[in-house]
Each structure stands twice: as structure tokens, then as C-alpha cells.
Amino acid sequence: MSSRNATLMIRSKDELKRIIEIFNKAPLNSNKQLNFIAFREAFELYLQHYKRKENTIFYTEQMEAIRSSMNRNRTDFV
């Protein structure tokens, strides 16, 4: 492993919630922050669906919309 790389393994929803809390308090720079916001939104949708287990098509469509708007596909930079 190079000294410029790090690996973080997240093994539970609670661990991921903690990481999200950290990045909410200390925002990333540039486009990465916008991708984080989209990721956080997708995670919140996942948690809603996980609890209810209904409207699978709605959640799938919402997740796909978020995924397709990230990284190189981004058209909204605000």
C-alpha cells in the first residue's frame, strides 16, 4: 500500500451514519461535496425503504436518478 492511499471498511449502517455525520460537519471541497450530498440522499432513501419495504419501484427509480446525476454525468453544480 502506497503512503498516499488509505482503506476504510464500513461494515454497518451505524458506521456509515457516523461517516456521514463527519462529512456533514466538515464539508468536502469542489464536486466531491456535491457527490457526497447525492450519496447521503441515496443512503437516506435506502434507510426509508429498508424500514418500509414498500414502493420498491419508486425507490429504485429515485436511486437510479441519483446515481446517474453523479460524477461525470453531473449537470447541476450548485
Side-chain angles (χ1 to χ4, degrees):
M1 184 154 99
S2 169
S3 63
R4 301 182 122 231
N5 294 326
T7 302
L8 173 66
M9 296 181 78
I10 299 171
R11 297 183 178 164
S12 71
K13 290 185 288 282
D14 289 333
E15 290 176 350
L16 187 51
K17 287 178 186 178
R18 180 69 183 125
I19 297 297
I20 289 172
E21 287 175 21
I22 290 168
F23 285 118
N24 282 334
K25 291 177 184 175
L28 298 162
N29 294 319
S30 70
N31 202 26
K32 292 178 182 177
Q33 176 63 14
L34 299 175
N35 287 331
F36 165 72
I37 292 168
F39 174 81
R40 182 182 64 205
E41 183 181 334
F43 183 65
E44 289 168 0
L45 277 171
Y46 165 77
L47 291 177
Q48 290 174 11
H49 177 65
Y50 181 78
K51 290 178 184 176
R52 296 183 187 147
K53 298 195 189 242
E54 59 188 33
N55 276 338
T56 301
I57 293 172
F58 170 78
Y59 287 105
T60 302
E61 290 171 351
Q62 293 296 314
M63 290 287 208
E64 178 57 28
I66 292 168
R67 186 197 65 75
S68 66
S69 72
M70 293 177 69
N71 299 317
R72 293 184 182 153
N73 297 325
R74 180 170 301 286
T75 57
D76 183 13
F77 294 94
V78 177

